[in-house]
Amino acid sequence: MQVFCSPLRYVQGISASNQLAQQMDAVGMKPPVLLIASKSARSQAEKAWQESMKQMGWEFSILDFTGECTPKEIDSVVARAKTLGVKSLVGAGGGKVLDTARAAANICNISIALAPSIASTDAPTSALSVVYDEQGKVLEYRIFKRNPDLVLVDISLIAQAPVRFLAAGIGDALSTYFESDACRLSRKPNMRGGLSTQAAFALARFCFDSIIADGADACVAVANKLVSPALERVVEANTLLSGLGFESSGLAAAHAIHNGLTMIPSTHDFLHGEKVTIGVLTQLALEGKPRPFFQDIVRFLKSVNLPTRLKDLGIDVNDLNAINIIAKRATQPGETIHNEPFPVTSSMVVDALRAADALAAQV
Ligand SMILES: [Zn+2]
């Protein structure tokens, strides 16, 4: 069976925060509302949220997010939502705020709007939350029944954020087409347990074309705190196209290698998308993609200041102990690397990591 999932509504635009309550109303969300916000999202957008809620005559309160998406944090949002008797939740800020809000809304069985303030991953549109323990290690992936009712992207906030976040989102989005293609060829299931549709594959392909065409220009816009048509197209690619593409087409080697890289402490200072980038290059080496194509991708990554070498993540390519740890974790049973259209072993990943590094060094 083929399965395709998506949020009910995706809204993106300049000063979109001014429309929060109106857009929630448009998908049937109801007050009272509890909004969980990161400190920076609150300082940038609280005035706009207040005004929008006032125009609709909606009762709402704001809860400050304290930093990690842990079971304890999720439970405290659930308790607050129940005490206030809210009918809708909103998460505003980076990935961890959104994941916490999504998890709490699903536990309470109430509707959820997500308002990312950066475009650093493709998670906002999905039904998945990554939950961490108190030490900051990944504890579990929780997959919920419902995608968000609304994803509202205020492009003005994204233009004000550090360019590194946008570049990381480009790195995450770069993986979508290659992983989607692997799942299509192997006929392995997507994140929702079905096979990919043509629609999901087409979105993944268009995601790739968009970031290659506009990625560098979009980074220039954000470095200068400007909104441009290129930025609008790349934010859509990073958030909507990549989000729908990964969830409804599936993941493969690149994200499994990302998970392997997280085993090395030096990578903890790097963003998800920055690690996924090395995963992409390793997947291309593993699949034996032609050298000119591989090198074009490396040139593109350099144009947006993303890592291309293991040393860019603080890993020595000659440290075989570290390389083995990464490869072992990437190929553990149940990992998405087994969605590749051929069997993948740990020693193949060791060679692919080192081959990708050597090929990238030649660019
Ligand atoms: Zn990702």
Side-chain angles (χ1 to χ4, degrees), residues 12 155 210 214 228-238 241:
Q12 174 186 308
I155 204 124
S210 293
D214 289 316
S228 71
L231 177 62
E232 293 183 306
R233 291 193 288 265
V234 168
V235 169
E236 185 187 333
N238 284 9
L241 299 175

Side-chain angles (χ1 to χ4, degrees), residues 33-44:
V33 177
L34 175 62
L35 196 153
I36 306 120
S38 70
K39 215 173 141 190
S40 67
R42 185 171 186 172
S43 70
Q44 288 175 292

Side-chain angles (χ1 to χ4, degrees), residues 122 172 255 272 276:
D122 57 14
D172 199 22
H255 271 79
H272 171 80
V276 169

Side-chain angles (χ1 to χ4, degrees), residues 255-336:
H255 271 79
I257 289 157
H258 160 276
N259 294 344
L261 290 165
T262 65
M263 300 296 287
I264 309 300
S266 70
T267 68
H268 295 173
D269 297 334
F270 294 89
L271 299 168
H272 171 80
E274 293 171 333
K275 286 175 272 210
V276 169
T277 299
I278 298 297
V280 170
L281 294 178
T282 308
Q283 178 174 333
L284 298 182
L286 190 67
E287 292 173 347
K289 288 281 193 293
R291 193 215 295 233
F293 179 76
F294 182 96
Q295 293 186 331
D296 282 347
I297 299 293
V298 171
R299 279 185 208 101
F300 168 72
L301 291 170
K302 289 185 169 198
S303 76
V304 292
N305 280 324
L306 279 167
T308 59
R309 304 282 311 276
L310 287 165
K311 68 177 164 70
D312 299 337
L313 300 180
I315 300 166
D316 177 0
V317 67
N318 296 313
D319 180 354
L320 287 184
N321 185 38
I323 304 292
N324 273 308
I325 289 169
I326 298 164
K328 211 169 155 204
R329 173 65 181 81
T331 52
Q332 76 179 30
E335 253 307 344
T336 54

Side-chain angles (χ1 to χ4, degrees), residues 2-20:
Q2 292 159 295
V3 176
F4 181 90
C5 288
S6 72
L8 273 179
R9 175 178 281 231
Y10 177 86
V11 177
Q12 174 186 308
I14 294 170
S15 303
S17 306
N18 295 337
Q19 285 282 310
L20 178 62

Side-chain angles (χ1 to χ4, degrees), residues 7 10 93-95 98-99 102 114-116 118-128 147-148 150-153 172 238-240 243 246-247:
Y10 177 86
L98 306 191
D99 279 358
R102 172 175 20 231
L114 297 179
I118 50 178
S120 65
T121 77
D122 57 14
T125 58
S126 76
L128 176 103
N147 289 69
L150 169 69
V151 175
L152 182 113
V153 185
D172 199 22
N238 284 9
T239 314
L240 181 65
F246 103 82
E247 188 173 30

